C-alpha cells in the first residue's frame, strides 16, 4: 500500500478511537435544532461516520472517492469549530441558513410541478429562516473566524504549522479536494494510465493510480 495512504489510515483510525470515547451520547428529547449539546456531537458523529467510509474506500483503493469525502469531513469540522466558538449567536445563524436553502430548493421543485409544502410546515421553515439577522458566512470566512477564536486556544499548534489552521486546511483540503468532487483533469488522471509497450493511454474504472506513481498520463505532466 502507498506509504501516504498508510499514514492517512493510521491517523484516521486514531481520530475515530478518540471520538469513540465521547460517542454515543444521550440527550433529552427536543423538537428543534437549537440545542448545541445535540448539534455539536451530531456534527462530530457525521464526520466520524464519513471517516469510517474513507477508511473502507482506502482499503479498496478508491483514493479519489476517499479524498472527496475528506473534504466533507473538513466542512463539518470547520462548521463545528465556527459554531463552538460562539454557539449562542452562531447556531441560530447556521440553522437559519439551512432552512433558507431548503426553502429555495422547495420553491424550485414546486415551480417544476412538485408537490407544494403544507402551509403549516412552510410557516415553520420561514420562522427558522427569519430567526437570524445575519447570514451564514461562506466556508472560507467560517474558517477565518474559527481561527480567530481557536488560534488563541491552540496558538502553539497554529503558529508552528499554519497549514493546520482552519484557513490553512480550507486551501489544503477543501479547495484541493475539489478536484475529486468536480470534473477536472486532475480528477481524471487516476483513471488514465500509460501503456509503454504499445505507446497508448488506457482508460479504466478498475483501479486508481496514485499521483506519486509518476507523471499524470491524462495531462502528460508531473
Amino acid at each position: 500500500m502507498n506509504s501516504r495512504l498508510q499514514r492517512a489510515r493510521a491517523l484516521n483510525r486514531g481520530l475515530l478511537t478518540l471520538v469513540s470515547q465521547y460517542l454515543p451520547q444521550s440527550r433529552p428529547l427536543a423538537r428543534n435544532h437549537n440545542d448545541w449539546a445535540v448539534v455539536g456531537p451530531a456534527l462530530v458523529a457525521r464526520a466520524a461516520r464519513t471517516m469510517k467510509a474513507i477508511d473502507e474506500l482506502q482499503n479498496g483503493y478508491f483514493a479519489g472517492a476517499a479524498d472527496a469525502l475528506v473534504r466533507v469531513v473538513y466542512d463539518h469540522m470547520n462548521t463545528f469549530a465556527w459554531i463552538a466558538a460562539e454557539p449562542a449567536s452562531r447556531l441560530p445563524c447556521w440553522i437559519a441558513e439551512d432552512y433558507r436553502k431548503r426553502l429555495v430548493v422547495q420553491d424550485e421543485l414546486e415551480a417544476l410541478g412538485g408537490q407544494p409544502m403544507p402551509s403549516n410546515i412552510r410557516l415553520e421553515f420561514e420562522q427558522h429562516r427569519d430567526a437570524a439577522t445575519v447570514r451564514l458566512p461562506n466556508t472560507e470566512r467560517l474558517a477565518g473566524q474559527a481561527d480567530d477564536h481557536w488560534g488563541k486556544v491552540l496558538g502553539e499548534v497554529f503558529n508552528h504549522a499554519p497549514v493546520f489552521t482552519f484557513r490553512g486546511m480550507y486551501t489544503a483540503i477543501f479547495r484541493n479536494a475539489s478536484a475529486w468532487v468536480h470534473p477536472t483533469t486532475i480528477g481524471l488522471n487516476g483513471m488514465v494510465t500509460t501503456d509503454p509497450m504499445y505507446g497508448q493511454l488506457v482508460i479504466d474504472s478498475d483501479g486508481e493510480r496514485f499521483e506519486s506513481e509518476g507523471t499524470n498520463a491524462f495531462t502528460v505532466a508531473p
Side-chain angles (χ1 to χ4, degrees):
M1 180 185 292
N2 181 286
S3 60
R4 180 176 67 86
L5 276 183
Q6 286 181 322
R7 292 194 301 271
R9 292 188 73 186
L11 289 169
N12 194 35
R13 291 174 177 179
L15 286 169
L16 287 172
T17 299
L18 177 63
V19 170
S20 69
Q21 299 176 28
Y22 300 93
L23 295 176
Q25 295 185 12
S26 298
R27 292 287 184 268
L29 287 174
R31 193 177 177 275
N32 58 61
H33 306 300
N34 293 310
D35 187 353
W36 178 238
V38 174
V39 173
L43 283 167
V44 174
R46 170 53 61 195
R49 182 72 176 172
T50 306
M51 289 165 66
K52 292 176 183 178
I54 290 169
D55 192 61
E56 291 297 322
L57 288 169
Q58 289 175 335
N59 188 47
Y61 298 98
F62 292 93
D67 280 345
L69 289 182
V70 170
R71 189 177 189 263
V72 174
V73 173
Y74 167 79
D75 200 9
H76 279 71
M77 290 298 88
N78 187 48
T79 300
F80 174 90
W82 180 79
I83 298 175
E86 298 178 21
S89 60
R90 291 180 174 179
L91 181 57
C93 180
W94 174 76
I95 293 171
E97 183 67 10
D98 182 73
Y99 278 94
R100 185 190 71 80
K101 290 179 178 177
R102 290 165 70 179
L103 280 168
V104 168
V105 172
Q106 178 62 31
D107 290 343
E108 292 179 1
L109 287 173
E110 291 182 18
L112 292 170
Q115 185 174 355
M117 177 183 287
S119 58
N120 61 319
I121 295 178
R122 175 173 285 276
L123 178 61
E124 183 178 345
F125 273 41
E126 290 173 346
Q127 288 172 341
H128 282 297
R129 179 197 62 192
D130 299 337
T133 57
V134 179
R135 288 284 299 275
L136 184 75
N138 62 27
T139 304
E140 182 178 6
R141 289 176 181 268
L142 284 182
Q145 292 176 15
D147 283 343
D148 289 341
H149 173 82
W150 295 107
K152 299 172 185 175
V153 179
L154 304 170
E156 184 176 346
V157 176
F158 276 30
N159 294 330
H160 177 69
V163 72
F164 293 130
T165 64
F166 289 101
R167 181 58 185 81
M169 289 187 288
Y170 168 77
T171 297
I173 296 176
F174 191 80
R175 292 187 64 189
N176 195 42
S178 292
W180 286 269
V181 175
H182 308 292
T184 66
T185 55
I186 293 176
L188 299 184
N189 282 327
M191 304 292 99
V192 183
T193 57
T194 302
D195 184 340
M197 181 175 294
Y198 297 101
Q200 296 177 331
L201 296 178
V202 179
I203 303 98
D204 194 0
S205 64
D206 290 332
E208 189 166 359
R209 216 172 31 81
F210 299 111
E211 293 179 28
S212 59
E213 294 177 1
T215 59
N216 295 322
F218 184 63
T219 56
V220 198

